[in-house]
Amino acid sequence: MKNSKLLISVIVTAIITAGITYNVVQPRESVSSNPDDPFSKLRSTYDILQSNYYKDVDTTKLVEGAIKGMVDSLEDPYSVYMDVEEAKSFSENISSSFEGIGAEIQESNGSIMIVSPIKGSPAEEVGLKPKDVILKVNDESVEGLSVNEAVLKIRGEKGTKVNLLVQRAGVGELTFTITRDTIPLETVYYEVIEDNIGKIQITKFSETTGEELSNALKELQSKNVKGLVLDLRQNPGGLMDQALLMSDLFVDKGEIILQVEDRTGAKEVYKAENNKVVNLPVTVIIDGGTASAGEIMAAALHQSAGIPLVGEKTFGKGTVQTAKAFDDTSSVKYTTAKWLTPDGSWIHEKGIEPTVKVELPAYANLPYINPDNVLKVGDSTPEVNAAQQMLKALGYTDISEKGYFDENTEKVVKQFQEDQGLTVDGKITKDTTIKIIELIQNKIKDNDTQLEKAISVLKEQL
């Protein structure tokens, strides 16, 4: 008996040392499963939990959890199960306006990452950049969340605010306070710029984008423009059929637009089906926010129509997804194939290199300054450094750029406030911050080096 107690003591000690506590009151019983039926184990687990779990079990949660686990096991950031609310959010993003911050996000190596902010959106205005990694939403970690779960935390009613903590490569952690707004359906913007050149910006590929582009081309051609600059920067992609439809306008009939390779290696080749509509010189601007369908179009126009690409390397998304809806409107989005450029290249996680590499001025990539924060003498933060660099870019060259708000910085801030008709107190508060950001944004527009180079390259073709 004594030895028996000693044995029990040793076992308990070993369990506690291992950090594990068991309170098993019955011996384990094996559960039979049919090796010929891969779902028998799943059904048995469901039955066990339904019958024996110590609390009532929500059947819907069990089933949806199983489906999510199945899809997550693919370890593919573009394949996800979406419950009813998540599926509705996904559908809105493709087909209609919605309320939120206006940024495309994806899961990348277990993190939630910005693919691209949408043109004119709150996300773009505050300075979110492609490949910013979201760490927290309203002080809640997004670690372990799916893309759709993160989207539901970020979205909200127009006029409400959301706080994002992001990690930016080479910069560190940044905090953004963003006021949600209505993100419009319009995806194509056009205008006539210098020397009667037409400029078209495409912000994403939704259900109406092909029609919008056709209308823009008709309007610009009616104005007898001499050439076109197609701006695909910060375009996160969207519907593949729209990319095919739109590329067809620029590529000769019979030329390859896209190849799609399935799991067996079989390839389906998509070619231009119509005579091209655009017979003018064209250049395309791309950057790190050009992704997916945006990359399809950029590659097609470059490789099959000889159109030069100007800017920076694209994002690098080379897979195709489809979504299947269930009767309750929940759905599963999953990857069906790789897409390849006309010459057969797979650009996934590599991106497309521009023909002519051009970066924006350094001040175009400065981090956001939160207008709700007060920056004053004695502060030493990344926001102080950003403010100093912005002020220097605006012509206040005597300012320090060390990130420490010293007396010289206060002096320069007072001068800036006086020049702009603001309250002169030497602190960077809401009105001063907003004015600095406004002037920097105007300066970026006035000094768009990528657009300037695209125009220059276009003129060489005239």
Side-chain angles (χ1 to χ4, degrees):
M1 187 70 169
K2 189 174 182 180
N3 289 337
S4 176
K5 288 182 179 178
L6 177 61
L7 178 60
I8 293 171
S9 176
V10 170
I11 293 173
V12 171
T13 301
I15 291 174
I16 293 173
T17 303
I20 304 171
T21 301
Y22 291 99
N23 288 309
V24 180
V25 296
Q26 294 177 343
R28 292 192 310 164
E29 297 176 358
S30 63
V31 180
S32 62
S33 61
N34 183 355
D36 296 325
D37 179 4
F39 292 100
S40 66
K41 201 171 177 182
L42 182 65
R43 282 192 291 267
S44 294
T45 303
Y46 173 82
D47 290 339
I48 290 168
L49 294 177
Q50 280 281 28
S51 302
N52 302 311
Y53 190 64
Y54 83 106
K55 292 194 298 186
D56 287 339
V57 174
D58 185 324
T59 300
T60 301
K61 278 189 175 182
L62 281 183
V63 172
E64 296 209 341
I67 298 171
K68 284 186 177 182
M70 192 183 301
V71 178
D72 288 348
S73 72
L74 298 171
E75 297 182 348
D76 175 8
Y78 304 108
S79 295
V80 292
Y81 169 72
M82 296 175 279
D83 63 24
V84 173
E85 191 174 357
E86 291 167 341
K88 179 183 176 184
S89 174
F90 174 73
S91 178
E92 286 175 346
N93 192 38
I94 291 176
S95 61
S96 66
S97 63
F98 60 91
E99 293 182 349
I101 68 169
E104 182 82 8
I105 64 174
Q106 72 165 53
E107 189 272 334
S108 176
N109 298 320
S111 299
I112 302 297
M113 182 174 67
I114 301 288
V115 175
S116 183
I118 296 170
K119 176 182 169 63
S121 68
E124 183 189 50
E125 289 175 2
V126 302
L128 281 174
K129 302 290 183 184
K131 303 204 172 173
D132 281 349
V133 175
I134 300 174
L135 303 177
K136 293 182 178 181
V137 178
N138 290 333
D139 295 326
E140 292 184 16
S141 172
V142 296
E143 184 178 358
L145 296 187
S146 69
V147 168
N148 292 293
E149 288 169 338
V151 165
L152 291 176
K153 284 185 175 293
I154 296 169
R155 280 193 183 176
E157 293 183 3
K158 176 180 178 179
T160 60
K161 292 184 178 182
V162 61
N163 295 313
L164 300 187
L165 176 67
V166 308
Q167 179 79 33
R168 180 171 296 171
V171 176
E173 292 185 359
L174 302 169
T175 300
F176 296 83
T177 299
I178 310 170
T179 303
R180 300 177 177 105
D181 202 349
T182 300
I183 310 304
L185 173 64
E186 188 176 7
T187 59
V188 175
Y189 301 81
Y190 64 92
E191 61 181 317
V192 178
I193 55 178
E194 63 180 78
D195 296 327
N196 203 35
I197 291 171
K199 176 179 176 288
I200 300 176
Q201 182 170 16
I202 303 170
T203 60
K204 65 176 181 177
F205 291 76
S206 68
E207 291 177 345
T208 61
T209 306
E211 182 181 354
E212 289 180 60
L213 177 60
S214 294
N215 292 336
L217 288 170
K218 288 175 185 176
E219 285 293 321
L220 291 172
Q221 289 176 329
S222 72
K223 299 179 186 297
N224 297 314
V225 295
K226 298 187 296 184
L228 293 171
V229 172
L230 195 63
D231 191 348
L232 294 178
R233 291 176 293 180
Q234 306 292 296
N235 185 318
L239 301 175
M240 189 182 83
D241 64 340
Q242 294 296 303
L244 289 168
L245 179 69
M246 294 156 66
S247 298
D248 201 314
L249 301 171
F250 295 84
V251 176
D252 283 325
K253 185 176 181 179
E255 291 292 327
I256 297 174
I257 294 175
L258 172 73
Q259 300 184 57
V260 175
E261 182 179 320
D262 68 17
R263 64 197 295 176
T264 69
K267 295 177 184 176
E268 184 173 3
V269 178
Y270 293 83
K271 297 181 179 181
E273 298 179 350
N274 305 293
N275 294 322
K276 69 178 182 179
V277 171
V278 179
N279 293 293
L280 298 170
V282 180
T283 56
V284 177
I285 315 178
I286 56 174
D287 68 3
T290 307
S292 188
E295 292 172 296
I296 290 175
M297 189 171 186
L301 269 57
H302 177 57
Q303 293 183 7
S304 294
I307 293 172
L309 306 178
V310 175
E312 299 171 82
K313 185 171 74 171
T314 62
F315 185 84
K317 179 183 178 293
T319 55
V320 180
Q321 285 73 42
T322 190
K324 297 288 187 181
F326 296 102
D327 290 341
D328 64 353
T329 72
S330 63
S331 68
V332 58
K333 179 168 72 76
Y334 57 99
T335 299
T336 58
K338 302 175 181 177
W339 70 261
L340 311 176
T341 63
D343 69 2
S345 300
W346 193 37
I347 58 89
H348 195 63
E349 297 183 350
K350 300 174 186 175
I352 301 169
E353 293 286 352
T355 315
V356 181
K357 185 174 182 179
V358 185
E359 296 181 352
L360 290 173
Y363 53 79
N365 296 310
L366 291 174
Y368 171 71
I369 309 172
N370 189 341
D372 293 333
N373 292 343
V374 177
L375 307 180
K376 60 187 183 307
V377 171
D379 289 344
S380 181
T381 66
E383 286 195 333
V384 171
N385 181 255
Q388 290 171 333
Q389 292 186 67
M390 288 182 189
L391 287 166
K392 188 163 189 175
L394 293 172
Y396 297 87
T397 55
D398 292 336
I399 197 167
S400 165
E401 296 177 70
K402 297 180 180 179
Y404 177 68
F405 204 123
D406 55 15
E407 292 181 357
N408 180 61
T409 299
E410 182 184 44
K411 179 181 177 182
V412 172
V413 170
K414 285 181 176 180
Q415 184 61 57
F416 174 81
Q417 290 170 332
E418 184 177 333
D419 294 343
Q420 298 301 319
L422 303 169
T423 301
V424 179
D425 59 8
K427 299 177 182 178
I428 300 179
T429 53
K430 187 170 186 177
D431 290 344
T432 301
T433 301
I434 290 172
K435 179 55 70 172
I436 291 173
I437 292 173
E438 176 190 329
L439 294 178
I440 280 291
Q441 288 176 339
N442 291 338
K443 188 175 178 68
I444 293 169
K445 290 177 183 177
D446 294 338
N447 295 276
D448 188 339
T449 50
Q450 293 172 338
L451 175 59
E452 290 170 2
K453 188 63 178 179
I455 293 170
S456 173
V457 171
L458 180 68
K459 288 181 177 179
E460 292 174 6
Q461 304 173 61
L462 296 177

